[in-house]
Amino acid sequence: MTKNITLAHGNGGEENNELIEGVFYKHLKNDYLKKSEDASLIEGGRLAFTTDSFTISPLFFSGGDIGKLSICGTCNDLAMMGAAPKYVTLAMMIEEGFEMKTLDKIVRSIKKELEVCGAVVVAGDTKVVPRGSVDKLFINTSGVGVVELEGISASNLSVGDAIVVSRDIGAHGAAIYANREGIDIESTLKSDCASLWPMVKALKDAGIKPKEMRDATRGGLAAVLNEWAKASDVCIEVEEASIPIAQEVKGICELLGFEPTALANEGTFVLALDPKDVEKTVEVLKTFEQNEQCTMIGTVTDEYKQKVTMTSEWDTKRFLDMPTGELLPRIC
Amino acid sequence: MPKQELDLFKVFRNPEHMKALAKLIKKESKTKIRVMEVCGGHTHTIMKYGIPQILPDTIEFVHGPGCPVCIMPKERIDHAYILSQQPDVIMVTLGDMIKVPGSHGSLAQARSKGADVRFVYSPLDVLKIAKENPEKKVIFFAIGFETTTPMTAALVDQVVKLGLKNVLFHINHVTVPEVMKELLDSRDEHVDSYNNRIDAFIGPSHVSVITGSKVYEQFPEKYKRPVVVTGFEPIDVVEGILMIVRQVNDGRADLENQYKRSVSYDGNTTAQAFINKYFDQKDLFKWRGLGNIPKSGLKLRDEFAHLDAEKIYDDVLPKEEIEDHKLCICGDILRGMAKPTDCQVFGTACKPNKPIGSCMVSSEGACAAYYKYGGVLR
Ligand code: SF4
Ligand code: SF4
């Protein structure tokens, strides 16, 4: 491992895993952490518990803001374990000089998103730090949820399972890059930032039991699929043409040399399902406006174990690897 | 993004068209041809779209040296690292350059230890940084082939015209025809012969937009190697291969242009003049994996020496050469004599996040592309 932390250690990909293994697991590993799920099940599996920290530039982007993000992020981790988000803690590190009006706007956005999830803030903390110590505002949230769908786990996948994605991928990552770099895109490119619990609840109400669900945040679709392939010791084969990607997202990727499959999402999740549940799942998820493009993208096989392969429209195959490094624009 | 441009995806990745071209190649290709795609952008297309899998075994790709990041020798990265440690310096470079390790670490690591290192999308963004930080020295670590050189020239031009006092340059621009020549001319240390196994070239797309296809004239003429300048889309590459197959079948070695929609014979003469105004050929430039290549690198002209960070920081910058790693066989890979999988440390000691040799540095390098996309899939 390198001597100092680099930005690559926070990418959700390979270096990130090295850091977790080499430092945190080294000292702290236990039965809960070992499972490396989005949230840990506690109290005999009745409750799910998780935490997440948020820093983003710009604080307001098309499709959301840091406040909305801080609630979606944590509540989505709970939802992905089949748990209804209930109690949230909210901690803020604020840079000296931050505008009161802006803070108020962010907190209003937090309130609105809590209502969507059905959760409340039960404890909070604020620290104000000298100018330059943090970039404007950092938020940490933790959440507790009550498990309503049991038995969801990354090690559940078996040969024959279907892989479904809830909507078109990469919108959050692409929108943030476009906003940050002032890339003029005459379009409606918006972050997918959204709470997923209502969707999971709809699935539950329809009697569907996903084997595994995960929101494709940092590291994108590629990271989720690779983690599953490893955890379940299987091969996941996806069809490139079936992965829904908005034209604007493709455009940004082409421009900067990114892979849409490595871009972050904040309201997009991937499901592993018994094939007989696919049709119903897609139908239920499509009742949500943003999931118009929900579709099956691949299947679980045993061809290249612990690997993800992607087949092109002209039937060539390649590995879809875990994203590595910091996402950086291509030079030529 | 203009609508029309987006629709191009459909045209250049049309699966039916792809399959039809592949079929023609299968039918017509008789003899083995080792085709070097000179440019990293092509390597990327070829690996990402799995092009070798739809072509017959007679077509073998030799992945070329065409990535300005991969070929940057450690000495130069060390320069960048050391410059970033100087007082009141803001080190600026382009995208993926910042993650390449030198002997002290990468620029990203320098940044994590507190150095002010930034990346920009376009060299002209340096102007803004310089204006916002008048008390700092902004050093632009310029890299790239002929594609990016005009943009650096435009930055030099602005710095001169605006009389900015706080922008300096560390120039690492390299040129494509010289390295192609070197690959054909040079003596390979490992097998001690002039052998290379490059039968034909796929010429770069973006580089050729600037240089024009004229710069490759020497290869068919003097070396009897067909050159087809080709676009970056998968269909372009496959069409380029078909043109090469037909040349070989006819016993021809010609310079052909598949990428007519953007590349002309003379290229962008305005950009060429701009480059000449500010830059001059260096006698030697060292390429990681290939060694010193005559006239393959650029430097600022003497009139602009006062902008040259290499001159101004001369006393702190090391001059010793750093040998490439003994086990690395990049040189052979680039000459078509070996495949990445022939290397003892491929995928074990040498991986994309800790590269030993140049071909593993960026995803456009042969070894990294094999590793990442599974060049072994058939
Ligand atoms: S890594 Fe790719 S984009 Fe970056 S310099 Fe090399 S060839 Fe160009
Ligand atoms: S695997 Fe690494 S050491 Fe081996 S040839 Fe490739 S770059 Fe060099």
Side-chain angles (χ1 to χ4, degrees), chain B residues 230-303:
Chain B
T230 304
F232 266 146
E233 292 297 331
I235 286 191
D236 291 330
V237 174
V238 176
E239 197 176 358
I241 295 287
L242 181 61
M243 291 165 78
I244 289 175
V245 167
R246 290 185 173 163
Q247 285 201 35
V248 171
N249 284 353
D250 300 349
R252 289 181 290 133
D254 291 332
L255 170 60
E256 292 184 308
N257 185 0
Q258 181 275 341
Y259 196 38
K260 289 214 179 70
R261 61 184 191 272
S262 307
V263 173
S264 64
Y265 182 77
D266 287 317
N268 181 339
T269 45
T270 322
Q272 291 163 22
F274 218 43
I275 296 175
N276 283 332
K277 181 167 174 201
Y278 293 106
F279 298 111
D280 205 1
Q281 278 183 332
K282 259 185 162 166
D283 292 338
L284 283 177
F285 187 91
K286 187 177 162 193
W287 294 55
R288 192 168 173 184
L290 290 171
N292 282 302
I293 303 180
K295 313 257 181 250
S296 65
L298 301 179
K299 61 173 192 212
L300 280 170
R301 283 191 178 278
D302 291 341
E303 306 97 279

Side-chain angles (χ1 to χ4, degrees), chain B residues 327-330 333 340 343 345-347 350 356-360 367:
Chain B
L327 290 175
C328 178
I329 58 166
C330 280
I333 293 175
C343 173
V345 289
F346 172 77
C350 185
I356 285 183
S358 72
C359 302
M360 195 57 102
C367 296

Side-chain angles (χ1 to χ4, degrees), chain B residues 121-138:
Chain B
Y121 289 82
S122 152
L124 287 175
D125 297 342
V126 169
L127 293 174
K128 190 163 160 258
I129 299 177
K131 283 178 191 154
E132 283 168 2
N133 298 279
E135 71 301 342
K136 297 269 172 90
K137 280 260 176 273
V138 180

Side-chain angles (χ1 to χ4, degrees), chain B residues 93-163:
Chain B
T93 190
L94 297 176
D96 39 11
M97 190 63 228
I98 78 166
K99 62 182 178 196
V100 185
S103 11
H104 313 287
S106 65
L107 283 172
Q109 282 161 350
R111 183 178 62 185
S112 73
K113 288 185 198 153
D116 194 344
V117 176
R118 308 184 189 182
F119 71 82
V120 290
Y121 289 82
S122 152
L124 287 175
D125 297 342
V126 169
L127 293 174
K128 190 163 160 258
I129 299 177
K131 283 178 191 154
E132 283 168 2
N133 298 279
E135 71 301 342
K136 297 269 172 90
K137 280 260 176 273
V138 180
I139 305 180
F140 182 56
F141 188 77
I143 74 159
F145 288 105
E146 289 88 335
T147 339
T148 39
T149 319
M151 294 194 271
T152 307
L155 176 62
V156 180
D157 187 64
Q158 284 297 308
V159 168
V160 171
K161 284 202 177 121
L162 299 171

Side-chain angles (χ1 to χ4, degrees), chain A residues 3-4 17 25 38 41 43 45 63 90-91 114 169 182 188 207 212 216 242 244 247 254 281-282 294 327:
Chain A
K3 273 210 195 118
N4 298 70
N17 288 345
Y25 280 7
D38 277 346
L41 296 182
E43 292 299 307
L90 176 67
L114 283 166
I169 61 162
T188 47
E212 164 68 342
S242 68
Q247 286 297 351
E254 206 69 14
T281 302
V282 172
C294 175
L327 282 189

